[in-house]
């Protein structure tokens, strides 16, 4: 099975976000970057599948040279090879167009992404890639099993789950439960150095949007502490003051 | 600008998120002098059809086609795109639910549309078309200008208040062309977890963390949630330890929610957890550690042991419900 896993390079989850003076990008100094946690789940599942029944796992990222370290980490975890489309990942439709272009020339059986990236929180890329390639996409998948050329997926829905069956090729976006992420071992880290990392130029796309700027939410006002012996006061405040019950 | 909203239904009824996107779409149509068309796919009871008009739809396109009985994002996206073209739509609004997330990006590609997902407010129509969405898991907002002729917006459940706004609501049958190639994926089975309130749509959420000490202590959390008509949630360590299912995990790598009331019990408030819940309107924190960082992000706090405070809170809520119906 030939699998493509899309990797986002995102600030570590503990990062306190601040912005550059024009509010158009995040201030990157001191930020640790990681593989988007959901993408790591997708990568791990891809490796489990190919370890069981053979195949390759290619990882792809759209970004500048600073994301190479993140791709090397994916190689250290076990990916076969890596591709970086050398461009600013300005928005989901741009990124999806790059991935779809690469995938259309390399016929993958399965394309995996994370359910969303934890930086811009878009959950658009998987379904956009599916639409661009005119193949099915299944979103927010917590279990993915392959038998022959048929894939059975459990996707999350409000108040339950849905079991979907789909022949390859398809795109799926991973969420918790699909696999437990792995920590790369020393052998993996050593071998990652010599695995192929191909850098490609971006294809031209139409631009449908632009970022105006970022803004921070207003901080909350001071917490009102209520004595543990007077729980009634909390219920009263929620009713008369906050008006939420 | 003409607006098309896709309204989700369940068992013949409009979902709450459907009334929210109707209200959202109506506000855009009204502010820009356009028409609001609602698109419903599948069973819709007669009184629910008029409800769409009550929440602002000038017209309701109703699709009844046995092939569309179950949700297949590829097929539903084709229907929405076709309806958008037919009704000369400039803005397509879809709820940012699980199904909405699965279909909206496909609609955007079909319509060559710019897309903003998880919008937290109405678009700013002065000087362009700018939409605010949350970014960095609630740590910031991003303002995005859509420059395409057609725009697609998904609106997070519970972030825009549904408001009645009577319009004609003329029902029109809509028969889209449905291609077999859109049905490659098939729904085998739908498994309902329980009849509990769905977490992303819940107005009140009762959430607990490691402070509860073990899964056997969730009885009081469930009881409090039931009394308040709330959904239950948990922190990451709790779902990692399999005390609760992953689907209840809220936070940066779990679900981001924005209920009216979020009650956090025995959760210290790590930055990753706060990211997923910080857009809740009111936050109550109950924790025995007065230094817990969550108190800084809360509106109301009680410093105390959950095992003492929660039973008391249950009693007080019972009294309150008895007095207030």
């Amino acid at each position: 099975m030939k699998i493509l896993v899309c990797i986002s390079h995102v600030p570590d989850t503990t990062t306190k976000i601040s912005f550059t003076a024009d509010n158009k990008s995040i201030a990157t100094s001191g930020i640790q970057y990681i593989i988007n946690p959901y993408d790591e789940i997708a990568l791990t599942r891809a490796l489990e599948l190919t370890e069981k029944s053979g195949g390759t796992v290619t990882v792809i990222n759209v970004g500048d040279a600073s994301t190479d370290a993140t791709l090397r980490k994916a190689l250290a975890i076990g990916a076969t090879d890596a591709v970086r489309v050398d461009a600013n990942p300005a928005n989901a439709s741009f990124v999806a167009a790059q991935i779809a272009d690469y995938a259309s020339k390399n016929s993958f059986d399965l394309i995996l992404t994370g359910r969303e990236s934890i930086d811009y929180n878009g959950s658009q890329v998987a379904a956009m890639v599916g639409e661009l390639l005119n193949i099915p996409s299944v979103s927010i998948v917590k279990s993915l099993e392959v038998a022959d050329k048929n894939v059975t997926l459990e996707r999350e829905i409000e108040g339950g789950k849905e079991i979907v069956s789909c022949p390859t090729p398809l795109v799926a976006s991973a969420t918790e439960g699909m696999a437990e992420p792995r920590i790369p071992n020393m052998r993996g880290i050593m071998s990652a150095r010599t695995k192929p990392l191909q850098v490609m130029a971006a294809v031209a796309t139409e631009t449908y949007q632009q970022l105006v700027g970022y803004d921070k939410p207003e901080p909350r006002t001071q917490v009102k502490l209520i004595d543990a012996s007077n729980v009634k006061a909390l219920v009263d405040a929620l009713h008369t003051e906050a008006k939420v019950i | 600008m003409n607006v098309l909203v896709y309204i989700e239904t369940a068992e013949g009824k409009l979902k709450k998120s459907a009334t929210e996107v109707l209200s959202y779409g109506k506000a855009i149509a009204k502010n820009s002098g356009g028409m609001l068309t609602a698109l419903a796919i599948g069973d819709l009871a007669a009184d629910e059809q008029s409800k769409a008009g009550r929440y602002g739809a000038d017209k309701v396109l109703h699709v009844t086609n046995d092939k569309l009985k179950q949700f297949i994002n590829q097929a539903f996206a084709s229907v929405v795109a076709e309806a958008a073209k037919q009704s000369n739509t400039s803005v397509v609004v879809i709820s940012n639910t699980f199904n909405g997330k699965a279909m909206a990006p496909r609609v955007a590609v079909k319509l060559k549309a710019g897309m903003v997902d998880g919008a937290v407010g109405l678009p700013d129509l002065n000087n362009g078309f700018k939409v605010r969405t949350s970014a960095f898991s609630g740590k910031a907002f991003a303002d995005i200008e859509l420059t395409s002729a057609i725009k697609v917006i998904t609106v997070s459940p519970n972030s825009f208040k549904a408001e009645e706004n009577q319009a004609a609501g003329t029902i029109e049958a809509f028969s889209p062309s449905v291609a077999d190639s859109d049905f490659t994926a098939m729904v085998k089975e739908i498994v309902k977890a329980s009849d509990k309130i769905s977490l992303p749509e819940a107005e009140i959420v009762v959430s607990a963390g490691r402070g509860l000490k073990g899964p056997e202590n969730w009885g009081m959390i469930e009881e409090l949630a039931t009394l308040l008509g709330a959904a239950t949630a948990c922190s990451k360590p709790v779902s990692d330890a399999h005390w609760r299912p992953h689907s209840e995990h809220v936070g940066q790598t779990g679900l981001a929610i924005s209920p009216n009331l979020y009650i956090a019990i025995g959760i210290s408030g790590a930055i990753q957890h706060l990211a997923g819940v910080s857009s809740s309107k009111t936050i109550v924190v109950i924790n025995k550690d007065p230094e817990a960082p969550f108190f800084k992000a809360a509106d109301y706090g009680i410093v105390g042991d959950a095992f003492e405070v929660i039973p008391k809170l249950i009693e007080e809520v019972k009294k309150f419900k008895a007095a207030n119906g």
Side-chain angles (χ1 to χ4, degrees), chain A residues 11-17 19 26 37-38 93 115-132 134-140 142 150 152 155-167 175-177 180 206-218 220-232 234-239 241-242 244-245, chain B residues 15 71 73-74 97-99 101-102 105-106 108-110 112-117 130 132 134-148 184-194 198 200-201 204 228 236 239-240 242 246-247 249 252-255 260-261 271-272 277-284 286 295 297-304 309 312-313 316-317 320 324:
Chain A
D12 178 23
T13 55
T14 57
T15 308
K16 286 203 165 98
I17 300 291
F19 299 105
I26 67 164
Y38 296 114
S93 71
R115 68 176 282 178
E116 65 182 44
S117 68
I118 60 163
D119 48 2
Y120 304 107
N121 303 113
S123 46
Q124 305 177 26
V125 170
M128 283 183 171
V129 170
E131 184 62 33
L132 289 165
N134 199 23
I135 58 174
S137 59
V138 185
S139 293
I140 315 193
K142 52 186 185 180
N150 200 60
T152 303
R155 68 178 275 261
E156 260 185 59
I157 54 171
E158 280 85 7
K161 64 183 178 185
E162 196 175 86
I163 299 169
V164 177
S165 166
C166 188
T175 191
E176 290 177 304
E180 293 291 331
E206 276 188 67
T207 305
Y208 302 134
Q209 62 188 82
Q210 64 188 32
L211 177 77
V212 181
Y214 291 112
D215 195 4
K216 288 247 197 171
E218 292 282 320
R220 274 181 203 264
T221 49
Q222 181 79 28
V223 59
K224 284 188 185 165
L225 285 178
I226 290 163
D227 197 274
S229 62
N230 190 12
V231 176
K232 184 176 184 298
L234 174 64
V235 177
D236 291 344
L238 291 177
H239 179 58
E241 197 174 61
V244 285
I245 61 170
Chain B
K15 290 177 81 169
F71 176 81
N73 60 339
Q74 208 172 348
T97 53
F98 286 104
N99 286 354
K101 281 178 205 271
R106 300 194 77 119
V109 171
K110 282 176 191 289
K112 298 190 180 307
M115 172 173 164
V116 170
D117 62 0
K130 298 183 203 103
R132 174 161 277 210
S134 83
F136 300 99
S137 310
K139 293 174 189 173
F141 295 117
D143 292 310
I144 293 162
E145 181 174 8
L146 295 178
T147 51
S148 48
T184 313
M186 276 186 346
V187 177
K188 287 278 181 206
E189 192 187 348
I190 292 175
V191 185
K192 282 218 162 187
S194 60
S198 137
E201 293 174 304
I204 303 178
L228 289 168
K236 187 170 194 300
S239 65
D240 281 350
H242 303 290
H246 283 307
S247 56
H249 163 203
Q252 187 159 16
T253 55
L255 205 60
N260 296 341
L261 173 60
I271 187 166
Q272 296 98 321
V277 302
S278 60
S279 58
S280 306
K281 282 153 207 98
T282 299
I283 294 180
V284 173
I286 298 166
F295 283 116
D299 299 291
Y300 300 99
I302 293 181
V303 178
V309 175
K312 281 193 220 163
L313 184 55
E316 289 302 334
V317 172
F320 170 78
N324 292 270

Side-chain angles (χ1 to χ4, degrees), chain B residues 54-138:
Chain B
R54 213 161 67 235
Y55 280 90
D58 296 300
K59 193 162 81 179
V60 181
L61 298 178
H62 186 207
V63 179
T64 45
N65 180 327
D66 281 350
K67 284 175 120 180
L68 299 165
K69 274 219 177 312
Q70 276 180 321
F71 176 81
I72 293 292
N73 60 339
Q74 208 172 348
F76 274 50
S78 295
V79 176
V80 173
E82 192 176 329
K85 284 179 190 156
Q86 187 196 280
S87 43
N88 207 4
T89 295
S90 302
V91 186
V92 178
V93 183
I94 295 172
S95 188
N96 200 29
T97 53
F98 286 104
N99 286 354
K101 281 178 205 271
M103 69 189 284
R106 300 194 77 119
V107 174
V109 171
K110 282 176 191 289
L111 297 173
K112 298 190 180 307
M115 172 173 164
V116 170
D117 62 0
V120 295
L122 283 171
D124 174 1
L125 303 177
N126 299 312
N127 207 353
F129 190 103
K130 298 183 203 103
V131 193
R132 174 161 277 210
T133 180
S134 83
F136 300 99
S137 310

Side-chain angles (χ1 to χ4, degrees), chain A residues 8 41 64 96 132 179 203:
Chain A
S8 284
I41 294 171
D64 64 22
L132 289 165
V203 291

Side-chain angles (χ1 to χ4, degrees), chain A residues 35-54:
Chain A
I35 300 178
N36 183 45
Y38 296 114
D39 303 350
E40 214 171 345
I41 294 171
L43 172 61
T44 311
R45 187 64 192 135
L47 294 170
E48 289 170 359
L49 290 171
T50 52
E51 280 160 11
K52 204 173 92 187
S53 7

